Structures are given as structure tokens and as C-alpha cells.
Amino acid sequence: MPLGQGYPAQDCAIARALEVVGDRWTLLVLRDCFFGVHRFADLVARLDVPRAVLSDRLDRLVAAGLLVPDGRSYRVSEAAWPLWPALRSLAAFGEAAQTEAGGSVRRFAHVACGTDTTADGHCPTCGTVPPPPDLVVRAVGGPGRREDPVSVALRSPHRLLTPLP
Amino acid sequence: MPLGQGYPAQDCAIARALEVVGDRWTLLVLRDCFFGVHRFADLVARLDVPRAVLSDRLDRLVAAGLLVPDGRSYRVSEAAWPLWPALRSLAAFGEAAQTEAGGSVRRFAHVACGTDTTADGHCPTCGTVPPPPDLVVRAVGGPGRREDPVSVALRSPHRLLTPLP
DNA sequence: CACGGAGGTTCGGTCATTGAACTAGGATCG
DNA sequence: CGATCCTAGTTCAATGACCGAACCTCCGTG
């Protein structure tokens, strides 16, 4: 999203959120981190993002406390969990265009129950809203457009927040 | 969000969503439209957005089918309703910073039950997730930072998607 | 016609983004 | 030990989005 330097005059929680995650690429970086991508080179390979921009976004996410640097890798902190519903909602909104274009779509299953969560994040079996670590993501539908090794690895089912090899 | 022209290489519903609503100001425009702001001049007054940028964003939102032009006003189409949970999730994430800064916070009550919905959008009384038109928004907490007439009018309780006078 | 308001468009200047090239530090190989 | 490779950045010129202010156009009123 955005540019400039935030929305200082806005008296709104959404504006405050967008000052942290509203920049171009930031939400996609966070998405990949939730999916288990945690190395700089893997993020570059998956996102085709300029290295300087990725470096800036990682710094900002660390400064905001959403990512925690751990040597040469970045991990999602618990402070970022409240953003997971926003990512899931955006994905639900974007799925219409995605399926039209022949791309693949992701589903999120509750580990404890084995059932897919609904578009609003609830597990239909137990009725709860599982936190990100209790979800297993898998790709369904189209063949997927990206063939880089990281994207291929992400297509097989795996638990959120678990670092990929 | 973004800049450039989208995320064409991404095979992801979130990227598709961000190509529509990821630009700077776009989500804030949509937020105000959900709140009932529907005139160009009112959006300029509330957002302090450059008129050229607002014009561009409204055009894009109309092209995407999320807003419908109606003479000199813009109304939220039903196609935009799936974005409401994303806005609500972002607001929930941003509330921590907002309350620290002394700003006000918004609550969304289910009209049929009279109770506030939870952070994940559920009505605790009836258990459903009310669609946007069934919600009444009101400001609680701080005094609010903006004193322009539109922002003042928005602070009193009113139904979502209902055009302000 | 003069006037004012609403809804834009135009314009120069600034600043984020882009892509390519370069650097620094650590591990590995011979 | 030195050479090589990998990872994780940084630097830099060019592009293009954003900003603010001024201008333009249409419409309704007096």
C-alpha cells in the first residue's frame, strides 16, 4: 500500500495498521513468513522483490515486533498472529479472480480436527477459530504458476509458522 | 499498496486482492464508503488525500466493481462485502497502537440483537456473522482527533452502508 | 449573465520502487 | 593457508507514483 510516510492525520485503527503493513510487498512478505519461508534468499526467489525493498520491509517488520530475527532467518512473532485473519480475509476476497485465472487456491485445515476452516476462519467441527500454529495449509485446484523450488515446496501440506528446510 | 503495477508473477489470492485494494489510500477510501461517506468532497475532507489520487482510486474501485457511481455519489456494491472482514481484522490489529495514542476506537453492533460483535465479527448473542448492512458503528474511547464536519458526523452511531446526509 | 459549489484535471517537484551491479562475511573445498 | 561459493545485504541511476496547489468544467441558483 502505501507510500508517503503513513496516515498521521487519520484517527482510525485501520490507518494505524496500514502504517505498519500497508506498504507494497509487506503483506506478501508476512504471508510467506506465515507459510514457513524464513530466509532472505527464499523470499527473493518467491516474490521477485528487489533485494533493497525486501531488506527495508524486513527491517520495518522487525522494528514493529512482527518478525524476530534469528541469525540468518526471520520468524513470525506472536504479535503478528492478529494479522492472520486479515490475510485470510484478503485471500477469500481474491479467490474469485484467482480461480478465473486458473491459479491454485489454498485451504487451511485445523490440525486437531482434520477439517478445513471456513472463509471466516472457523473450524466447522469444533467451532473454534484455530490460531495460526494449529493450521495446515495445502494448495488445491490449478497446477500453480510458479516453479521455483520454494514455491513447489510450499504446495505440499505443511503446518503454518513451521520453517521450511 | 502498492506501486509498480500489481504482482503479476504471484500465484496467490492475497496478491490478487492487493492488486485491487493494495494501493495507498484505497482501503481507507473503502472504509469511509462502508461508513457511509459517499461524496468526493467528503472523502477529501476526511482523508486529506490529493484530489488526483482520490479520483484515480475511485475509478479503480468502480472498474473493479466494488463501488457503483450514482450521479455525484459512490455506493458500496455487494461485491465489496467480502472485504469487510479484512477491514475489521486490520482494525482489530491496529487498535493497540490506536488506544496507546489516545485516539478513539470503533465498535460494531448487530442491529437485530443490539450487542457488539467480537473481534472476529461474530455476534455473541445470535452466533452469526452479520453482513455489513446489519451493523451499527459507533466511536468509543478517546475524543477523536479530527474535527471536520464529516468526521464529527461519523462519530455518532449509524448503520453501515447508509449514506450520510 | 454572474456566482458558487461539486467534481474533477493538470502540473512541477519529491520520494519510493525497480533492476542491476557491487560488497561483506562466513562456510567449504583443495 | 588461499580460492571459491553462498547468503545477505548495500549502492546507484532511472522510472514512476505520490503530493500540493492551481486550474478547469459542469450544473444549479438568483
Short mmCIF file of all heavy atoms in Angstrom, two decimals, chain D residues 7-30:
data_model
loop_
_atom_site.label_atom_id
_atom_site.label_comp_id
_atom_site.label_asym_id
_atom_site.label_seq_id
_atom_site.Cartn_x
_atom_site.Cartn_y
_atom_site.Cartn_z
P DT D 7 22.54 -19.99 -0.72
OP1 DT D 7 21.70 -21.12 -0.30
OP2 DT D 7 22.36 -19.35 -2.03
"O5'" DT D 7 22.46 -18.86 0.39
"C5'" DT D 7 22.97 -19.11 1.70
"C4'" DT D 7 23.09 -17.80 2.45
"O4'" DT D 7 24.22 -17.04 1.96
"C3'" DT D 7 21.87 -16.89 2.33
"O3'" DT D 7 21.41 -16.59 3.63
"C2'" DT D 7 22.39 -15.64 1.60
"C1'" DT D 7 23.87 -15.68 1.91
N1 DT D 7 24.75 -15.05 0.88
C2 DT D 7 25.67 -14.11 1.27
O2 DT D 7 25.83 -13.75 2.42
N3 DT D 7 26.43 -13.59 0.25
C4 DT D 7 26.35 -13.92 -1.09
O4 DT D 7 27.09 -13.38 -1.92
C5 DT D 7 25.36 -14.90 -1.43
C7 DT D 7 25.19 -15.32 -2.86
C6 DT D 7 24.61 -15.42 -0.44
P DA D 8 20.10 -15.73 3.87
OP1 DA D 8 19.55 -16.11 5.18
OP2 DA D 8 19.28 -15.85 2.65
"O5'" DA D 8 20.66 -14.25 3.99
"C5'" DA D 8 21.60 -13.94 5.02
"C4'" DA D 8 22.08 -12.52 4.86
"O4'" DA D 8 22.91 -12.43 3.68
"C3'" DA D 8 20.95 -11.49 4.67
"O3'" DA D 8 21.23 -10.33 5.44
"C2'" DA D 8 21.04 -11.18 3.18
"C1'" DA D 8 22.53 -11.28 2.97
N9 DA D 8 22.94 -11.44 1.58
C8 DA D 8 22.37 -12.22 0.61
N7 DA D 8 22.97 -12.14 -0.55
C5 DA D 8 24.01 -11.25 -0.34
C6 DA D 8 25.03 -10.74 -1.18
N6 DA D 8 25.17 -11.09 -2.46
N1 DA D 8 25.91 -9.87 -0.63
C2 DA D 8 25.77 -9.53 0.66
N3 DA D 8 24.86 -9.95 1.54
C4 DA D 8 24.00 -10.81 0.98
P DG D 9 19.99 -9.40 5.91
OP1 DG D 9 20.53 -8.42 6.86
OP2 DG D 9 18.91 -10.30 6.35
"O5'" DG D 9 19.48 -8.70 4.56
"C5'" DG D 9 19.75 -7.35 4.31
"C4'" DG D 9 21.21 -7.11 3.96
"O4'" DG D 9 21.61 -8.01 2.90
"C3'" DG D 9 21.47 -5.72 3.42
"O3'" DG D 9 21.83 -4.84 4.47
"C2'" DG D 9 22.63 -5.90 2.45
"C1'" DG D 9 22.67 -7.40 2.20
N9 DG D 9 22.51 -7.75 0.78
C8 DG D 9 21.57 -8.56 0.22
N7 DG D 9 21.70 -8.72 -1.07
C5 DG D 9 22.80 -7.96 -1.39
C6 DG D 9 23.43 -7.73 -2.64
O6 DG D 9 23.12 -8.19 -3.75
N1 DG D 9 24.53 -6.89 -2.53
C2 DG D 9 24.96 -6.32 -1.35
N2 DG D 9 26.04 -5.53 -1.44
N3 DG D 9 24.40 -6.53 -0.17
C4 DG D 9 23.32 -7.35 -0.27
P DT D 10 21.52 -3.30 4.34
OP1 DT D 10 21.90 -2.69 5.62
OP2 DT D 10 20.16 -3.18 3.83
"O5'" DT D 10 22.52 -2.78 3.21
"C5'" DT D 10 23.91 -2.75 3.48
"C4'" DT D 10 24.63 -2.12 2.29
"O4'" DT D 10 24.41 -2.93 1.11
"C3'" DT D 10 24.12 -0.72 1.94
"O3'" DT D 10 25.26 0.12 1.77
"C2'" DT D 10 23.35 -0.92 0.64
"C1'" DT D 10 24.05 -2.11 0.03
N1 DT D 10 23.22 -2.95 -0.87
C2 DT D 10 23.55 -3.04 -2.19
O2 DT D 10 24.51 -2.47 -2.69
N3 DT D 10 22.72 -3.86 -2.93
C4 DT D 10 21.62 -4.56 -2.48
O4 DT D 10 20.96 -5.26 -3.23
C5 DT D 10 21.33 -4.40 -1.08
C7 DT D 10 20.16 -5.11 -0.47
C6 DT D 10 22.13 -3.61 -0.35
P DT D 11 25.03 1.73 1.53
OP1 DT D 11 26.17 2.41 2.18
OP2 DT D 11 23.65 2.09 1.88
"O5'" DT D 11 25.21 1.89 -0.04
"C5'" DT D 11 26.35 1.32 -0.67
"C4'" DT D 11 26.29 1.58 -2.18
"O4'" DT D 11 25.43 0.60 -2.81
"C3'" DT D 11 25.77 2.95 -2.61
"O3'" DT D 11 26.66 3.48 -3.58
"C2'" DT D 11 24.40 2.66 -3.18
"C1'" DT D 11 24.59 1.26 -3.74
N1 DT D 11 23.37 0.43 -3.85
C2 DT D 11 23.12 -0.23 -5.02
O2 DT D 11 23.85 -0.16 -5.99
N3 DT D 11 21.97 -1.00 -5.02
C4 DT D 11 21.08 -1.14 -3.97
O4 DT D 11 20.07 -1.86 -4.09
C5 DT D 11 21.39 -0.41 -2.77
C7 DT D 11 20.50 -0.50 -1.59
C6 DT D 11 22.51 0.33 -2.76
P DC D 12 26.65 5.06 -3.98
OP1 DC D 12 28.06 5.44 -4.21
OP2 DC D 12 25.82 5.84 -3.03
"O5'" DC D 12 25.90 5.02 -5.38
"C5'" DC D 12 26.32 4.08 -6.39
"C4'" DC D 12 25.36 4.10 -7.56
"O4'" DC D 12 24.34 3.09 -7.34
"C3'" DC D 12 24.61 5.43 -7.76
"O3'" DC D 12 24.75 5.87 -9.09
"C2'" DC D 12 23.16 5.09 -7.43
"C1'" DC D 12 23.10 3.60 -7.77
N1 DC D 12 22.01 2.89 -7.05
C2 DC D 12 21.29 1.89 -7.70
O2 DC D 12 21.57 1.59 -8.86
N3 DC D 12 20.29 1.27 -7.02
C4 DC D 12 20.02 1.62 -5.76
N4 DC D 12 19.04 0.97 -5.13
C5 DC D 12 20.75 2.64 -5.08
C6 DC D 12 21.73 3.25 -5.76
P DA D 13 24.42 7.44 -9.44
OP1 DA D 13 25.68 8.11 -9.78
OP2 DA D 13 23.53 8.02 -8.41
"O5'" DA D 13 23.56 7.27 -10.77
"C5'" DA D 13 24.07 6.46 -11.84
"C4'" DA D 13 22.91 5.96 -12.69
"O4'" DA D 13 22.05 5.12 -11.88
"C3'" DA D 13 22.02 7.07 -13.26
"O3'" DA D 13 21.62 6.72 -14.58
"C2'" DA D 13 20.85 7.09 -12.29
"C1'" DA D 13 20.72 5.62 -11.91
N9 DA D 13 20.14 5.40 -10.58
C8 DA D 13 20.42 6.07 -9.43
N7 DA D 13 19.75 5.64 -8.38
C5 DA D 13 18.99 4.61 -8.88
C6 DA D 13 18.07 3.73 -8.28
N6 DA D 13 17.74 3.78 -6.99
N1 DA D 13 17.48 2.80 -9.06
C2 DA D 13 17.79 2.76 -10.37
N3 DA D 13 18.65 3.53 -11.04
C4 DA D 13 19.22 4.44 -10.23
P DA D 14 20.65 7.71 -15.42
OP1 DA D 14 21.11 7.67 -16.81
OP2 DA D 14 20.51 9.00 -14.71
"O5'" DA D 14 19.26 6.94 -15.34
"C5'" DA D 14 19.15 5.63 -15.86
"C4'" DA D 14 17.72 5.11 -15.67
"O4'" DA D 14 17.47 4.93 -14.26
"C3'" DA D 14 16.63 6.06 -16.20
"O3'" DA D 14 15.69 5.30 -16.93
"C2'" DA D 14 16.02 6.64 -14.93
"C1'" DA D 14 16.23 5.51 -13.92
N9 DA D 14 16.34 5.96 -12.53
C8 DA D 14 17.10 6.98 -12.05
N7 DA D 14 17.00 7.14 -10.75
C5 DA D 14 16.10 6.17 -10.36
C6 DA D 14 15.57 5.81 -9.11
N6 DA D 14 15.88 6.43 -7.97
N1 DA D 14 14.70 4.77 -9.06
C2 DA D 14 14.39 4.15 -10.21
N3 DA D 14 14.83 4.39 -11.44
C4 DA D 14 15.69 5.42 -11.45
P DT D 15 14.45 6.06 -17.69
OP1 DT D 15 14.37 5.51 -19.05
OP2 DT D 15 14.57 7.51 -17.46
"O5'" DT D 15 13.18 5.54 -16.89
"C5'" DT D 15 13.07 4.15 -16.55
"C4'" DT D 15 12.00 3.98 -15.49
"O4'" DT D 15 12.46 4.50 -14.23
"C3'" DT D 15 10.67 4.69 -15.79
"O3'" DT D 15 9.65 3.70 -15.85
"C2'" DT D 15 10.49 5.66 -14.63
"C1'" DT D 15 11.37 5.05 -13.55
N1 DT D 15 11.91 6.01 -12.56
C2 DT D 15 11.62 5.82 -11.24
O2 DT D 15 10.94 4.90 -10.84
N3 DT D 15 12.17 6.75 -10.39
C4 DT D 15 12.97 7.83 -10.73
O4 DT D 15 13.41 8.59 -9.88
C5 DT D 15 13.23 7.97 -12.14
C7 DT D 15 14.09 9.10 -12.61
C6 DT D 15 12.70 7.07 -12.97
P DG D 16 8.18 4.08 -16.45
OP1 DG D 16 7.65 2.85 -17.08
OP2 DG D 16 8.28 5.34 -17.20
"O5'" DG D 16 7.33 4.35 -15.13
"C5'" DG D 16 7.39 3.42 -14.06
"C4'" DG D 16 6.79 4.06 -12.82
"O4'" DG D 16 7.73 4.98 -12.23
"C3'" DG D 16 5.52 4.89 -13.08
"O3'" DG D 16 4.67 4.71 -11.97
"C2'" DG D 16 6.05 6.31 -13.09
"C1'" DG D 16 7.05 6.20 -11.96
N9 DG D 16 8.01 7.27 -11.89
C8 DG D 16 8.63 7.94 -12.91
N7 DG D 16 9.46 8.86 -12.50
C5 DG D 16 9.38 8.79 -11.12
C6 DG D 16 10.03 9.55 -10.13
O6 DG D 16 10.86 10.45 -10.28
N1 DG D 16 9.66 9.14 -8.85
C2 DG D 16 8.75 8.15 -8.57
N2 DG D 16 8.51 7.91 -7.29
N3 DG D 16 8.14 7.44 -9.49
C4 DG D 16 8.50 7.82 -10.73
P DA D 17 3.12 4.44 -12.15
OP1 DA D 17 2.90 3.01 -12.37
OP2 DA D 17 2.60 5.46 -13.08
"O5'" DA D 17 2.60 4.81 -10.68
"C5'" DA D 17 2.95 3.97 -9.61
"C4'" DA D 17 3.06 4.78 -8.34
"O4'" DA D 17 4.12 5.75 -8.47
"C3'" DA D 17 1.80 5.55 -7.97
"O3'" DA D 17 1.56 5.33 -6.60
"C2'" DA D 17 2.15 7.00 -8.27
"C1'" DA D 17 3.67 7.02 -8.07
N9 DA D 17 4.38 8.00 -8.89
C8 DA D 17 4.35 8.09 -10.25
N7 DA D 17 5.11 9.05 -10.73
C5 DA D 17 5.68 9.63 -9.62
C6 DA D 17 6.58 10.70 -9.45
N6 DA D 17 7.09 11.39 -10.46
N1 DA D 17 6.94 11.02 -8.20
C2 DA D 17 6.43 10.30 -7.18
N3 DA D 17 5.58 9.28 -7.21
C4 DA D 17 5.24 8.98 -8.48
P DC D 18 0.21 5.81 -5.94
OP1 DC D 18 -0.09 4.81 -4.90
OP2 DC D 18 -0.76 6.15 -6.98
"O5'" DC D 18 0.68 7.14 -5.21
"C5'" DC D 18 1.77 7.07 -4.29
"C4'" DC D 18 2.19 8.46 -3.90
"O4'" DC D 18 2.79 9.09 -5.05
"C3'" DC D 18 1.06 9.38 -3.46
"O3'" DC D 18 1.28 9.73 -2.10
"C2'" DC D 18 1.16 10.61 -4.38
"C1'" DC D 18 2.56 10.47 -4.94
N1 DC D 18 2.76 11.04 -6.30
C2 DC D 18 3.63 12.12 -6.48
O2 DC D 18 4.20 12.60 -5.50
N3 DC D 18 3.81 12.62 -7.72
C4 DC D 18 3.19 12.07 -8.76
N4 DC D 18 3.41 12.60 -9.97
C5 DC D 18 2.30 10.97 -8.60
C6 DC D 18 2.12 10.48 -7.36
P DC D 19 0.16 10.55 -1.32
OP1 DC D 19 0.30 10.22 0.10
OP2 DC D 19 -1.11 10.35 -2.01
"O5'" DC D 19 0.60 12.07 -1.51
"C5'" DC D 19 1.84 12.48 -0.97
"C4'" DC D 19 2.13 13.92 -1.32
"O4'" DC D 19 2.37 14.01 -2.74
"C3'" DC D 19 1.00 14.89 -1.02
"O3'" DC D 19 1.41 15.76 0.02
"C2'" DC D 19 0.78 15.67 -2.34
"C1'" DC D 19 1.94 15.26 -3.21
N1 DC D 19 1.62 15.06 -4.66
C2 DC D 19 2.21 15.90 -5.61
O2 DC D 19 2.96 16.80 -5.25
N3 DC D 19 1.94 15.68 -6.92
C4 DC D 19 1.12 14.68 -7.28
N4 DC D 19 0.88 14.50 -8.58
C5 DC D 19 0.51 13.83 -6.32
C6 DC D 19 0.79 14.06 -5.02
P DG D 20 0.30 16.62 0.77
OP1 DG D 20 0.80 16.84 2.14
OP2 DG D 20 -0.99 15.95 0.54
"O5'" DG D 20 0.27 18.01 0.00
"C5'" DG D 20 1.48 18.73 -0.18
"C4'" DG D 20 1.23 19.90 -1.09
"O4'" DG D 20 1.13 19.43 -2.46
"C3'" DG D 20 -0.06 20.68 -0.80
"O3'" DG D 20 0.29 22.04 -0.60
"C2'" DG D 20 -0.94 20.44 -2.03
"C1'" DG D 20 0.06 20.07 -3.11
N9 DG D 20 -0.43 19.10 -4.09
C8 DG D 20 -1.23 18.02 -3.86
N7 DG D 20 -1.49 17.32 -4.93
C5 DG D 20 -0.81 17.99 -5.94
C6 DG D 20 -0.73 17.70 -7.32
O6 DG D 20 -1.24 16.77 -7.94
N1 DG D 20 0.07 18.62 -7.99
C2 DG D 20 0.70 19.69 -7.40
N2 DG D 20 1.43 20.47 -8.18
N3 DG D 20 0.62 19.98 -6.10
C4 DG D 20 -0.15 19.09 -5.44
P DA D 21 -0.83 23.14 -0.34
OP1 DA D 21 -0.25 24.05 0.66
OP2 DA D 21 -2.14 22.49 -0.09
"O5'" DA D 21 -0.92 23.90 -1.74
"C5'" DA D 21 0.28 24.14 -2.48
"C4'" DA D 21 -0.10 24.66 -3.85
"O4'" DA D 21 -0.42 23.54 -4.72
"C3'" DA D 21 -1.33 25.58 -3.85
"O3'" DA D 21 -1.02 26.78 -4.54
"C2'" DA D 21 -2.41 24.76 -4.52
"C1'" DA D 21 -1.59 23.83 -5.43
N9 DA D 21 -2.27 22.57 -5.70
C8 DA D 21 -2.96 21.79 -4.82
N7 DA D 21 -3.47 20.70 -5.35
C5 DA D 21 -3.08 20.77 -6.68
C6 DA D 21 -3.30 19.92 -7.76
N6 DA D 21 -3.99 18.78 -7.68
N1 DA D 21 -2.76 20.27 -8.96
C2 DA D 21 -2.07 21.42 -9.04
N3 DA D 21 -1.79 22.30 -8.07
C4 DA D 21 -2.33 21.91 -6.91
P DA D 22 -2.13 27.92 -4.71
OP1 DA D 22 -1.46 29.20 -4.42
OP2 DA D 22 -3.34 27.53 -3.95
"O5'" DA D 22 -2.50 27.88 -6.26
"C5'" DA D 22 -1.45 27.72 -7.22
"C4'" DA D 22 -2.05 27.30 -8.55
"O4'" DA D 22 -2.52 25.94 -8.43
"C3'" DA D 22 -3.24 28.15 -8.98
"O3'" DA D 22 -3.06 28.61 -10.30
"C2'" DA D 22 -4.43 27.19 -8.86
"C1'" DA D 22 -3.77 25.84 -9.08
N9 DA D 22 -4.50 24.71 -8.48
C8 DA D 22 -4.93 24.60 -7.18
N7 DA D 22 -5.58 23.49 -6.92
C5 DA D 22 -5.57 22.83 -8.14
C6 DA D 22 -6.10 21.58 -8.53
N6 DA D 22 -6.76 20.77 -7.72
N1 DA D 22 -5.92 21.21 -9.82
C2 DA D 22 -5.27 22.03 -10.64
N3 DA D 22 -4.72 23.23 -10.39
C4 DA D 22 -4.91 23.57 -9.10
P DC D 23 -4.12 29.61 -11.03
OP1 DC D 23 -3.32 30.56 -11.83
OP2 DC D 23 -5.05 30.08 -9.99
"O5'" DC D 23 -4.90 28.64 -12.01
"C5'" DC D 23 -4.17 27.85 -12.96
"C4'" DC D 23 -5.07 26.79 -13.56
"O4'" DC D 23 -5.49 25.88 -12.52
"C3'" DC D 23 -6.36 27.35 -14.19
"O3'" DC D 23 -6.37 27.05 -15.57
"C2'" DC D 23 -7.49 26.66 -13.44
"C1'" DC D 23 -6.80 25.45 -12.81
N1 DC D 23 -7.43 25.00 -11.53
C2 DC D 23 -8.08 23.77 -11.47
O2 DC D 23 -8.15 23.07 -12.48
N3 DC D 23 -8.65 23.38 -10.30
C4 DC D 23 -8.56 24.17 -9.22
N4 DC D 23 -9.13 23.74 -8.09
C5 DC D 23 -7.89 25.42 -9.27
C6 DC D 23 -7.34 25.80 -10.43
P DC D 24 -7.48 27.71 -16.57
OP1 DC D 24 -6.82 27.95 -17.86
OP2 DC D 24 -8.16 28.81 -15.86
"O5'" DC D 24 -8.53 26.52 -16.74
"C5'" DC D 24 -8.07 25.21 -17.05
"C4'" DC D 24 -9.24 24.24 -16.97
"O4'" DC D 24 -9.53 23.95 -15.58
"C3'" DC D 24 -10.54 24.77 -17.58
"O3'" DC D 24 -10.96 23.89 -18.60
"C2'" DC D 24 -11.53 24.81 -16.41
"C1'" DC D 24 -10.92 23.80 -15.44
N1 DC D 24 -11.26 24.01 -14.00
C2 DC D 24 -12.04 23.06 -13.32
O2 DC D 24 -12.45 22.09 -13.94
N3 DC D 24 -12.33 23.26 -12.01
C4 DC D 24 -11.86 24.34 -11.38
N4 DC D 24 -12.16 24.49 -10.09
C5 DC D 24 -11.05 25.32 -12.05
C6 DC D 24 -10.78 25.12 -13.35
P DT D 25 -12.14 24.25 -19.65
OP1 DT D 25 -11.70 23.70 -20.95
OP2 DT D 25 -12.48 25.69 -19.50
"O5'" DT D 25 -13.40 23.41 -19.15
"C5'" DT D 25 -13.23 22.06 -18.75
"C4'" DT D 25 -14.50 21.54 -18.11
"O4'" DT D 25 -14.50 21.85 -16.69
"C3'" DT D 25 -15.80 22.11 -18.69
"O3'" DT D 25 -16.67 21.05 -19.00
"C2'" DT D 25 -16.35 22.98 -17.55
"C1'" DT D 25 -15.80 22.26 -16.33
N1 DT D 25 -15.67 23.08 -15.09
C2 DT D 25 -16.21 22.62 -13.92
O2 DT D 25 -16.80 21.56 -13.83
N3 DT D 25 -16.02 23.43 -12.83
C4 DT D 25 -15.38 24.65 -12.81
O4 DT D 25 -15.28 25.28 -11.77
C5 DT D 25 -14.84 25.09 -14.07
C7 DT D 25 -14.12 26.39 -14.17
C6 DT D 25 -15.01 24.29 -15.15
P DC D 26 -17.94 21.22 -19.99
OP1 DC D 26 -17.84 20.17 -21.02
OP2 DC D 26 -18.07 22.64 -20.36
"O5'" DC D 26 -19.15 20.85 -19.01
"C5'" DC D 26 -19.08 19.64 -18.25
"C4'" DC D 26 -19.95 19.77 -17.01
"O4'" DC D 26 -19.37 20.73 -16.11
"C3'" DC D 26 -21.38 20.25 -17.29
"O3'" DC D 26 -22.30 19.26 -16.86
"C2'" DC D 26 -21.51 21.54 -16.47
"C1'" DC D 26 -20.41 21.37 -15.42
N1 DC D 26 -19.88 22.64 -14.87
C2 DC D 26 -19.94 22.89 -13.49
O2 DC D 26 -20.46 22.04 -12.76
N3 DC D 26 -19.46 24.05 -12.99
C4 DC D 26 -18.90 24.94 -13.82
N4 DC D 26 -18.43 26.07 -13.30
C5 DC D 26 -18.82 24.72 -15.23
C6 DC D 26 -19.31 23.56 -15.71
P DC D 27 -23.82 19.35 -17.34
OP1 DC D 27 -24.27 17.95 -17.53
OP2 DC D 27 -23.92 20.34 -18.44
"O5'" DC D 27 -24.55 19.94 -16.06
"C5'" DC D 27 -24.37 19.28 -14.80
"C4'" DC D 27 -24.84 20.19 -13.68
"O4'" DC D 27 -23.90 21.27 -13.51
"C3'" DC D 27 -26.21 20.84 -13.92
"O3'" DC D 27 -27.13 20.35 -12.97
"C2'" DC D 27 -25.97 22.34 -13.76
"C1'" DC D 27 -24.62 22.39 -13.04
N1 DC D 27 -23.79 23.59 -13.34
C2 DC D 27 -23.42 24.45 -12.30
O2 DC D 27 -23.78 24.20 -11.15
N3 DC D 27 -22.66 25.54 -12.58
C4 DC D 27 -22.29 25.78 -13.85
N4 DC D 27 -21.54 26.86 -14.08
C5 DC D 27 -22.67 24.92 -14.93
C6 DC D 27 -23.41 23.85 -14.63
P DG D 28 -28.66 20.66 -13.12
OP1 DG D 28 -29.41 19.45 -12.74
OP2 DG D 28 -28.88 21.32 -14.42
"O5'" DG D 28 -28.85 21.75 -11.97
"C5'" DG D 28 -28.43 21.45 -10.64
"C4'" DG D 28 -28.49 22.71 -9.79
"O4'" DG D 28 -27.45 23.62 -10.23
"C3'" DG D 28 -29.82 23.48 -9.91
"O3'" DG D 28 -30.28 23.81 -8.60
"C2'" DG D 28 -29.47 24.72 -10.72
"C1'" DG D 28 -27.99 24.92 -10.39
N9 DG D 28 -27.23 25.58 -11.44
C8 DG D 28 -27.20 25.26 -12.77
N7 DG D 28 -26.41 26.03 -13.48
C5 DG D 28 -25.90 26.92 -12.55
C6 DG D 28 -24.98 28.00 -12.73
O6 DG D 28 -24.44 28.38 -13.76
N1 DG D 28 -24.73 28.65 -11.52
C2 DG D 28 -25.28 28.30 -10.31
N2 DG D 28 -24.92 29.04 -9.26
N3 DG D 28 -26.13 27.30 -10.13
C4 DG D 28 -26.39 26.66 -11.30
P DT D 29 -31.67 24.55 -8.43
OP1 DT D 29 -32.31 24.00 -7.25
OP2 DT D 29 -32.36 24.58 -9.73
"O5'" DT D 29 -31.19 26.05 -8.10
"C5'" DT D 29 -30.25 26.25 -7.06
"C4'" DT D 29 -29.87 27.71 -6.95
"O4'" DT D 29 -29.03 28.07 -8.08
"C3'" DT D 29 -31.05 28.69 -6.96
"O3'" DT D 29 -31.02 29.45 -5.78
"C2'" DT D 29 -30.83 29.57 -8.21
"C1'" DT D 29 -29.35 29.39 -8.48
N1 DT D 29 -28.96 29.49 -9.92
C2 DT D 29 -28.05 30.45 -10.28
O2 DT D 29 -27.57 31.25 -9.50
N3 DT D 29 -27.72 30.45 -11.62
C4 DT D 29 -28.20 29.58 -12.60
O4 DT D 29 -27.83 29.69 -13.76
C5 DT D 29 -29.15 28.61 -12.15
C7 DT D 29 -29.73 27.63 -13.12
C6 DT D 29 -29.48 28.60 -10.83
P DG D 30 -32.17 30.56 -5.58
OP1 DG D 30 -32.33 30.66 -4.12
OP2 DG D 30 -33.32 30.20 -6.44
"O5'" DG D 30 -31.56 31.91 -6.13
"C5'" DG D 30 -30.37 32.45 -5.53
"C4'" DG D 30 -30.09 33.83 -6.10
"O4'" DG D 30 -29.64 33.68 -7.47
"C3'" DG D 30 -31.30 34.76 -6.15
"O3'" DG D 30 -30.90 36.10 -5.89
"C2'" DG D 30 -31.81 34.63 -7.58
"C1'" DG D 30 -30.51 34.40 -8.35
N9 DG D 30 -30.67 33.61 -9.56
C8 DG D 30 -31.48 32.52 -9.75
N7 DG D 30 -31.39 32.02 -10.95
C5 DG D 30 -30.47 32.83 -11.59
C6 DG D 30 -29.98 32.78 -12.92
O6 DG D 30 -30.26 31.97 -13.81
N1 DG D 30 -29.04 33.79 -13.16
C2 DG D 30 -28.65 34.73 -12.23
N2 DG D 30 -27.75 35.61 -12.64
N3 DG D 30 -29.11 34.79 -10.98
C4 DG D 30 -30.01 33.82 -10.75
#
